[in-house]
Amino acid sequence: MSHTPGHDRGMLDKIRMREEILDDLDEEIELELDDARLGSGRACDPLDFRQTYFRDLLRLQGELVKVQDWVKETGHRLVVICEGRDAAGKGGVIKRITQRLNPRICRVAALPAPNDRERTQWYFQRYVSHLPAAGEIVLFDRSWYNRAGVELVMNFCTDAEYEEFFRSVPEFERMLVRSGIQIVKYWFSISDDEQELRFRARMEDPLKQWKLSPMDLESRRRWEAYTLAKEIMLERSNIPEAPWWIVPAVNKKKARLNCISHLLSQIPYQDVERPEVTLPERVFSPDYIRQPVPDDMIVPELY
């Protein structure tokens, strides 16, 4: 049976499309392999759950794309606050939420320690500039709740500043909600033993040692102080307009699926009709001659 050029072109296009889809899936697999390089000491997840994880993660990420389209279309403003102990898995959840989204619409705010000037500002001032405009989503990888946790335990704030924070934060968040910003707050919860296992894994992994700061190591020593600070924070800043949600995070994969699924349930999004996309015809100019690229400009093909 003979094949026409058009038929062959169609087959090649299907093969290329399949390669693109597989390459997209590989991105998630690469992240998973990075997590598994030096595990936390727990046995690997059963094969059937791994299959569930990948299937459901891609499905949930598809829903996040719908959220993104709805946010852009309606001008919704969304803030997602991710708090928890060091090594609790906040970064992994944030990666999976943002992985398929447009960084112009969904961005991450992970602020460093305040500089000398910022220390003299109104406490919330440095965070305000990162809040979303219409049609934007911002995920805070740690937030203004630093004052209720790290700053308190490490003695980076005074007792008066700490008390003022709790007087101010409910009104600050209510003000944001009244202005039209939706706030969803997550605390990622892990056990004492699990944090120790994850810290030890990072200590042994040269690709992850950068994640261990002196502050992280000190947090191990002050586990109970952080626990007390967390309990007070949840009690004093859990308001109806912006309640806290606790994510059990000992199992990273389940935490990601549970958190994304819950986040989707908090957003009143709907499908947004997209205009049909058609690929325009390529313009060819008979006068154009492509110039050869000098060999010394080409990256060596080692693979």
Side-chain angles (χ1 to χ4, degrees), residues 121-141:
Q121 293 176 341
W122 174 50
Y123 176 71
F124 297 96
Q125 188 170 337
R126 65 195 296 255
Y127 296 100
V128 168
S129 62
H130 295 274
L131 293 172
E136 292 180 352
I137 302 168
V138 177
L139 293 97
F140 280 92
D141 186 352

Side-chain angles (χ1 to χ4, degrees), residues 46-265:
L47 180 60
D48 57 345
F49 179 71
R50 284 181 60 81
Q51 292 172 341
T52 298
Y53 171 74
F54 283 113
R55 183 188 67 241
D56 284 10
L57 179 64
L58 291 172
R59 176 182 59 81
L60 293 170
Q61 288 178 330
E63 292 300 311
L64 287 171
V65 172
K66 294 179 183 178
V67 168
Q68 170 185 263
D69 293 341
W70 177 81
V71 164
K72 181 180 178 182
E73 179 74 15
T74 62
H76 191 71
R77 292 179 288 168
L78 174 64
V79 164
V80 181
I81 289 175
C82 297
E83 294 285 347
R85 297 182 187 275
D86 298 308
K90 301 180 297 295
V93 172
I94 290 170
K95 280 181 185 176
R96 272 66 181 190
I97 291 174
T98 61
Q99 192 173 4
R100 316 286 176 187
L101 303 184
N102 184 343
R104 293 186 179 88
I105 296 173
C106 179
R107 67 180 187 274
V108 179
L111 278 62
N115 58 35
D116 290 341
R117 179 175 182 275
E118 288 171 332
R119 289 190 186 96
T120 67
Q121 293 176 341
W122 174 50
Y123 176 71
F124 297 96
Q125 188 170 337
R126 65 195 296 255
Y127 296 100
V128 168
S129 62
H130 295 274
L131 293 172
E136 292 180 352
I137 302 168
V138 177
L139 293 97
F140 280 92
D141 186 352
R142 296 199 181 279
S143 65
W144 43 84
Y145 283 99
N146 267 357
R147 174 138 295 175
V150 174
E151 292 191 18
L152 170 70
V153 175
M154 302 303 295
N155 297 315
F156 292 156
C157 66
T158 65
D159 291 344
E161 288 171 332
Y162 175 72
E163 286 301 320
E164 179 56 35
F165 171 79
F166 279 119
R167 279 193 293 269
S168 299
V169 72
E171 288 309 313
F172 175 67
E173 291 180 357
R174 289 188 185 106
M175 178 178 64
L176 296 183
V177 171
R178 286 196 302 270
S179 74
I181 297 176
Q182 181 183 5
I183 303 173
V184 184
K185 302 187 300 197
Y186 290 113
W187 175 270
F188 293 86
S189 179
I190 56 173
S191 65
D192 187 350
D193 290 343
E194 182 64 21
Q195 187 189 52
E196 181 174 353
L197 287 170
R198 293 183 187 182
F199 273 15
R200 291 190 181 281
R202 290 180 179 184
M203 290 167 62
E204 296 174 20
D205 187 348
L207 297 185
K208 291 188 176 181
Q209 285 176 0
W210 64 269
K211 291 186 174 184
L212 276 179
S213 68
M215 200 79 66
D216 297 334
L217 297 174
E218 182 63 20
S219 73
R220 277 299 300 156
R221 193 172 71 83
R222 306 194 189 195
W223 171 274
E224 291 184 2
Y226 271 99
T227 299
L228 179 60
K230 175 204 72 172
E231 292 169 350
I232 294 171
M233 180 192 77
L234 296 179
E235 180 183 355
R236 298 186 67 178
S237 60
N238 187 46
I239 60 175
E241 296 85 348
W244 279 104
W245 299 97
I246 312 300
V247 182
V250 170
N251 185 301
K252 292 180 180 180
K253 291 187 180 68
K254 291 181 179 180
R256 293 165 193 161
L257 297 180
N258 290 331
C259 184
I260 297 173
S261 178
H262 181 268
L263 177 61
L264 291 169
S265 74

